[in-house]
Amino acid sequence: MSATSTVQLMDGTSLAKRIEDAAARAAEISPRTGTSPCLATVLVGEDPASATYVRMKQARCAKTGSRSRHIGLPATTTTAELIDTLAGLSSDPGVHGILLQHPCGPHIDERAAFEAIAPEKDVDGVTMHSFVAMSFVLPGFVSCTPGGIMRLLEAYDVDLAGKHAVVVGRSAILGNPAGMLLLVMNATVTYSPSRTAGLSAIVREADVVVAAVGRRRLIRGEGVKPGAVVVDAGHDPGNVGDVDFDTASTRTRLITPVPGGVGPMTIAILPAQTVDAAANLLGIQRH
Amino acid sequence: MSATSTVQLMDGTSLAKRIEDAAARAAEISPRTGTSPCLATVLVGEDPASATYVRMKQARCAKTGSRSRHIGLPATTTTAELIDTLAGLSSDPGVHGILLQHPCGPHIDERAAFEAIAPEKDVDGVTMHSFVAMSFVLPGFVSCTPGGIMRLLEAYDVDLAGKHAVVVGRSAILGNPAGMLLLVMNATVTYSPSRTAGLSAIVREADVVVAAVGRRRLIRGEGVKPGAVVVDAGHDPGNVGDVDFDTASTRTRLITPVPGGVGPMTIAILPAQTVDAAANLLGIQRH
């Protein structure tokens, strides 16, 4: 990242901190009930990157006043066994939120596993119930990354109504719900292909680009409309996003850095929704 | 409608007949079980147009070997009473499909009512479960109009992969799921605004237009890309669609007439899904 002084960044790190501070204040109300919010984290196997993600999420929850309970399952766990574990946590009154770290491995039917999470504890926003809630503005939790993106756009006063937003990538927990959330805000939304031929013509028209496909530097500066708002939700282990920051940031009005943009927002939504879930389940009136 | 001989129409009337014939053949398998498929139709109030629609749907079911059971409720019916009725039909083993004719009137919470329909009997494709099934290619029923549109496009060999499909209108049972079904076919999908300013620039780029907003002649010929495929799912009592047929059909490769395009397809999907629902519920192996 080599931002010049004229680039206006959407600073996910500082906004995430504000969201976590608010969650921490909200979590303080729960001692009245004699309990604190509890997130159950479930990890299948021992992938070091996944284990690191889980520890980071647990640490954020601890920082915001939530406990976490970790369930580590062997790599040989079957889908049925994983579903049993998740169903048990769904009905456990001591657990308010459930995170299934994914990908779980090719032998697991992830969709079936996600659906074993009770909607009212789906603080990672991975169930179909949460998808419907996002699409139709019903009560429910958002997927963390799309939810984090929307909070960023809101914080930087990006007016979406009537704007053309292009979403690159259509995964069930990122691109697809991100498009639905933008549509709810009355944007004109295009789900773009990720193959370059079709992509470039579409992205060049976009007022707002959400890149969520996971291909390093897929979108370059010359492909971005001058004055566009660019959100880079791509991620790879080397912290290279879907957007070529150096060339794109010379043309954008607002852009997320990688790291420090969408990543911390994704992480902040989880403890915030855990506190919300606990408040809902414990019957605490939020203000 | 004044089609010239060079206009290639997507003939919903004849395709609908083929679908209904196939449903009728499938319905014949059920006498083995000593029963025939049964659609429950529910109508709140006495709006004459709604009553006509219900009778037409019942007639189509009869033609394809399904019985129907009609429940007429007074206009004063509350949401809670309507939910009770629908929940009763959902658990009634003699009913295989449920149609709630809508709009139900401003005093009814239609979403709550729809959700009282068991997903396995949602042959009109109005529940959130059906929306998710459409979005993520899971088992379930399609909303009748989007489902009918996809069958038309398929019958006329419209290759959607990599094409730019624009959906005008974003209702929960028409525009929104139509876009999801197009996305599943690997089209690039744009949900367009219906306000004319934004609309025209977007529609002009579309290889496939699905107009589903219900504004008479909103889309005119000069706004359509030459060679486009245009599906007009608009409807009004005077059989005027969202597309100005006379000007648009001079430029399109394929276009649906109004009437005789999407309308009959919408109607055909209902008995077809009723037969499917009965087969599923009665445990009949389909071939």
Side-chain angles (χ1 to χ4, degrees), chain A residues 172-184:
Chain A
I173 57 159
L174 210 179
N176 202 324
M180 287 290 126
L181 290 170
L182 291 160
L183 199 60
V184 162

Side-chain angles (χ1 to χ4, degrees), chain A residues 35-40 67 89 92-98 118 120-123 141 273-279 281-282:
Chain A
T35 186
S36 57
C38 176
L39 175 73
R67 291 168 295 133
L89 295 168
D92 183 337
V95 170
H96 308 114
I98 300 172
E120 66 272 21
K121 299 187 181 182
D122 181 24
V123 293
F141 293 111
Q273 294 199 134
T274 299
V275 173
D276 286 347
L281 289 164
L282 297 169

Side-chain angles (χ1 to χ4, degrees), chain B residues 56-73:
Chain B
M56 182 169 58
K57 291 169 185 178
Q58 290 169 330
R60 293 305 174 104
C61 280
K63 221 177 109 189
T64 54
S66 294
R67 291 168 295 135
S68 55
R69 183 198 298 182
H70 185 65
I71 294 102
L73 298 172

Side-chain angles (χ1 to χ4, degrees), chain B residues 86-150:
Chain B
L86 293 165
L89 295 167
S90 291
S91 59
D92 183 337
V95 170
H96 309 114
I98 300 171
L99 166 81
L100 171 61
Q101 183 65 33
H102 56 94
C104 298
H107 66 297
I108 296 282
D109 178 347
E110 253 172 38
R111 176 48 51 203
F114 286 153
E115 295 306 310
I117 298 172
E120 65 273 19
K121 299 187 182 182
D122 180 24
V123 294
D124 201 30
V126 296
T127 61
M128 288 300 162
H129 183 278
S130 295
F131 175 70
V132 164
M134 286 182 271
S135 302
F136 295 105
V137 205
L138 300 170
F141 293 111
V142 293
S143 302
C144 291
T145 303
I149 291 168
M150 297 308 288

Side-chain angles (χ1 to χ4, degrees), chain B residues 228-247:
Chain B
V229 173
V230 173
V231 177
D232 188 348
H235 53 88
D236 88 354
N239 269 324
V240 178
D242 287 354
V243 178
D244 184 60
F245 184 90
D246 290 348
T247 54

Side-chain angles (χ1 to χ4, degrees), chain B:
Chain B
M1 192 180 113
S2 65
T4 72
S5 58
T6 57
V7 177
Q8 205 190 334
L9 297 178
M10 286 186 279
D11 179 354
T13 305
S14 67
L15 179 58
K17 186 168 182 325
R18 294 213 298 278
I19 291 171
E20 288 170 352
D21 289 348
R25 284 193 302 277
E28 285 172 11
I29 59 176
S30 56
R32 283 187 232 155
T33 68
T35 186
S36 57
C38 176
L39 175 74
T41 57
V42 178
L43 175 62
V44 179
E46 292 170 11
D47 175 61
S50 295
T52 301
Y53 275 122
V54 170
R55 276 195 303 273
M56 182 169 58
K57 291 169 185 178
Q58 290 169 330
R60 293 305 174 104
C61 280
K63 221 177 109 189
T64 54
S66 294
R67 291 168 295 135
S68 55
R69 183 198 298 182
H70 185 65
I71 294 102
L73 298 172
T76 53
T77 302
T78 65
T79 298
E81 289 164 343
L82 179 57
I83 286 175
D84 273 355
T85 298
L86 293 165
L89 295 167
S90 291
S91 59
D92 183 337
V95 170
H96 309 114
I98 300 171
L99 166 81
L100 171 61
Q101 183 65 33
H102 56 94
C104 298
H107 66 297
I108 296 282
D109 178 347
E110 253 172 38
R111 176 48 51 203
F114 286 153
E115 295 306 310
I117 298 172
E120 65 273 19
K121 299 187 182 182
D122 180 24
V123 294
D124 201 30
V126 296
T127 61
M128 288 300 162
H129 183 278
S130 295
F131 175 70
V132 164
M134 286 182 271
S135 302
F136 295 105
V137 205
L138 300 170
F141 293 111
V142 293
S143 302
C144 291
T145 303
I149 291 168
M150 297 308 288
R151 294 287 292 267
L152 259 182
L153 294 172
E154 186 191 2
Y156 283 88
D157 292 326
V158 177
D159 180 18
L160 292 163
K163 298 298 190 303
H164 191 185
V166 169
V167 179
V168 188
R170 53 179 71 178
S171 70
I173 57 158
L174 210 179
N176 201 322
M180 286 290 128
L181 290 171
L182 291 161
L183 199 60
V184 163
M185 300 303 289
N186 295 315
T188 295
V189 174
T190 297
Y191 290 95
S192 169
S194 53
R195 279 154 296 181
T196 317
L199 175 79
S200 43
I202 300 278
V203 169
R204 239 192 322 266
E205 301 293 319
D207 302 306
V208 177
V209 179
V210 174
V213 70
R215 294 209 200 158
R216 297 162 65 110
R217 299 192 185 92
L218 178 70
I219 296 166
R220 300 186 58 85
E222 62 273 21
V224 173
K225 180 170 156 179
V229 173
V230 173
V231 177
D232 188 348
H235 53 88
D236 88 354
N239 269 324
V240 178
D242 287 354
V243 178
D244 184 60
F245 184 90
D246 290 348
T247 54
S249 60
T250 62
R251 294 163 71 98
T252 53
R253 177 162 76 80
L254 283 166
I255 186 168
T256 53
V258 176
V262 173
M265 292 299 298
T266 298
I267 295 166
I269 299 297
L270 183 74
Q273 293 199 136
T274 300
V275 172
D276 287 346
N280 292 341
L281 290 164
L282 298 169
I284 295 169
Q285 291 295 320
R286 298 290 302 279
H287 44 95

